[in-house]
Amino acid sequence: MADRGDPPEGPSENGAGDDEYRSLVFDESFVRAARLQEFSAQERMGEHARAVRSLPGRAVRHGSRAALALLLLIALAFGTAVFMGFRRPYENPVTRTAEPLRMTIVPLAPTGTVPAGTPASLFAGSPAATHPRGEAGITLPGARRTDHFTENQVYAALSTVKDYLVASALDPDVLGSAAVRPVQSLLDPDQTAQFERSVNEPDDDGRHAATGWLVRFDPAVVTADPQIRVRGTLTYAEEAADALDVVADHTFTYALHPAASGPQPTGGASLFTVHRETRFRFDREDVRLHRLEVRTSYVEAGPQSCAADATGALRPLLAGRRADPRAPAGTDPYATGRPAAVCGTLKVSPSRSPGGPPSPRSPTAPSSRP
């Protein structure tokens, strides 16, 4: 007879092997509480479950839209840059070499004795009586835009020319041959070598006269009145898409006396007149860097002797002096590279100022210009 714990078909033949489980009994509540779980095929494969690529989801589509928007933004920026380049082609920098300065220096000889007097009386009886004093006489015209230069660029060019005129004709150190840096600092670097040679080794060759760049007097004379009389005009015009020309036409009147030590005698001053017509050229780089190119310089200065060498410094005839009767040194008209020697006549006013002697009038000289 089978025991209660034996299977219905009776005890197994090798009942001895099941004896160790005979005492283990599962009641009905334990069997009901047991949970049977069967893993799916994907779970049984573990890390090898993702054998194929999933279809793109929303995140992938979102990334594609962002990339497309970025590409459109880059294309828009590039198109804007190209459009602005076509709209303002003149802003492109242009490399150009400054040309050498061409100059003409014309001494003006008096027809008689140089009048003497005090600076006040001399100025009062001269055409310079109504001229402004100092840099107030260098006025800027209204700046207007041209086809390729803005109003601000035109104004900057005119301001640079005024600074050059002040430095080259009104600065006391420059007038006294003690300094050249205020003038040189405003020049285009391409003209620096020519300027330095003109100052250090002046020559009457139409290229290397120091007085073609600036006003400087022989050390034997000094200014008797710091208030230099100035009158003139500034004009400008666009020469090309990358070139702005400015013309300065001014007359400077100085009161001078000998550079002797100690107080000067009363009434020992005399007037000296310099008429300068200077042409300048600017490109956009010159305008931006506050510099200029001096193209031509035409200078009439007197009273001087025609034979005086005025290339290194002007040599004024002071009060009571007369012009040297000798003519300027001869020049071979068949030679090239050197202008013919020229000299003008300095007119003297026939009238006298109250309590003063005759005073210089407008200078005259040959009308030929470089």
Side-chain angles (χ1 to χ4, degrees), residues 42 49-57 60:
Q42 182 176 359
R50 298 179 61 85
V52 295
R53 179 175 298 177
S54 302
L55 293 176
V60 177

Side-chain angles (χ1 to χ4, degrees), residues 61-87:
R61 292 195 299 271
H62 207 48
S64 300
R65 292 177 181 177
L68 181 60
L70 180 60
L71 290 175
L72 290 176
L73 182 61
I74 293 174
L76 179 62
F78 180 76
T80 302
V82 173
F83 175 76
M84 294 301 294
F86 281 116
R87 287 275 303 218

Side-chain angles (χ1 to χ4, degrees), residues 14 18 20 53 66 77 86 99 104 122 132 141 156 162 198 202 240 249 324 327 348 351 357-358 362-363:
N14 52 350
D18 295 332
E20 55 180 319
R53 179 175 298 177
F86 281 116
E99 300 176 0
T104 301
L122 292 172
K162 179 174 181 177
S198 301
D249 191 348
D324 192 327
V348 178
S351 62
S362 302

Side-chain angles (χ1 to χ4, degrees), residues 319-340:
R321 300 283 301 276
R322 299 179 66 91
D324 192 327
R326 293 177 300 172
T331 301
D332 181 4
Y334 296 99
T336 58
R338 183 184 298 269

